Amino acid sequence: MKYSLLLLFLINAALVTYSQTQKFGFDKVLAEAPNEKTTFCVPNDTATRALLERERITVKYGTSNWLFITTTPSWIDQQSKSNALKNYYFEFAPPAALADTARLMHVVDPVHLGTGLTSPYTGKNVIIGYVDQGIDFTHPDFLDSLGKTRVLRYWDHSTNVGGTIPQPYNYGIVWDSAAINNGTCTSTEESTAHGSTVAGMGSGNGRANGTNKGMAPESNIIIVETNFNLPNWTLTVADACDYIFKVADTLGMPAVVNLSLGTYLGSHDGNDPAAEYMESLLDAKSGRIIVCAAGNSGNFGKNHVTGIVDADTSFVWFLNNP
């Protein structure tokens, strides 16, 4: 009996510890931006659904374990303190931009020519969605033969002013190709060229110099400009994937989502809420692919904890220094 009680105590302690680690950093967000709308996960259960209905908060989508909503840190804090909300997901995993020289590592030209294949593959009638730091849509590589943009949609997570706020996400603004072509779109990549570089590697058609084409030079483009400063950042990536696939569905096209970004912290086991939902998007229907950068830490050095397994059970203790 005493061993059973000890085991139960250890399990409860582990669950409490896990819950607390998921909330690390929430106090800082609550203090600095209590009323800024962002994405959260709350448990998918009857009580939580009833709470959301009473509070008139829209469920964007859900998995078997989580409901994805857009709300403010102050609302989460208020409902938690009143015990109306039993749990919520909050992560501390600062994002980083990632890229690689992929074209040099693959035999792309024969694929474009259809050599040894049933037909050429150039990305025609396919959408590639880039979740990145934006795009310079005026670059010739992102224009068609008539000088019109190849960018079908541009969802900017960094502002809520100037355009249409997409639903049910309820943050950021969306521009369509008409706004880009007529010059009213005010979103563009600023300060870095990471998003434009990645989109060029994937979808550039080489019109700038006639030579440097991307992997899929005839593909259609959707851009989601991510905001690295948003709390629960990986949940905004799940929103981006959901949005890209929904637009692709309305246009009757298959879609690939490219994620040349990520975090050095977080679970990395494919079982966090964002990964759980993205997996469900892929399982829902064919014609969907999500590609994610893995590694490419550059000059940051070794990022993996190591230890020697020298017994039946070995432990490695490490102190996180973000």
Side-chain angles (χ1 to χ4, degrees), residues 176-311:
D176 60 15
S177 57
I180 295 174
N181 284 325
N182 65 27
T184 58
C185 174
T186 57
S187 295
T188 187
E189 183 166 32
E190 300 175 357
S191 73
T192 72
H194 189 275
S196 299
T197 299
V198 170
M201 292 163 61
S203 297
N205 59 17
R207 288 178 55 82
N209 59 17
T211 302
N212 295 98
K213 291 184 178 181
M215 297 288 181
E218 293 190 289
S219 58
N220 298 288
I221 301 169
I222 293 178
I223 298 296
V224 178
E225 180 178 335
T226 190
N227 182 356
F228 284 169
N229 294 317
L230 290 179
N232 279 341
W233 174 77
T234 60
L235 303 188
T236 71
V237 176
D239 282 350
C241 294
D242 184 70
Y243 174 77
I244 291 167
F245 287 139
K246 282 179 178 175
V247 173
D249 287 346
T250 63
L251 298 175
M253 295 185 189
V256 179
V257 177
N258 184 82
L259 308 174
S260 291
L261 31 71
T263 70
Y264 295 115
L265 302 180
S267 67
H268 290 81
D269 61 2
N271 292 319
D272 58 281
E276 184 178 299
Y277 183 67
M278 286 188 279
E279 184 70 23
S280 73
L281 288 172
L282 300 181
D283 291 339
K285 63 188 303 183
S286 60
R288 293 177 172 181
I289 297 174
I290 297 177
V291 182
C292 183
N296 193 39
S297 300
N299 295 323
F300 285 107
K302 298 177 180 179
N303 284 282
H304 296 278
V305 64
T306 61
I308 305 299
V309 178
D310 55 6

Side-chain angles (χ1 to χ4, degrees), residues 5 152 177:
L5 292 174
L152 303 180
S177 57

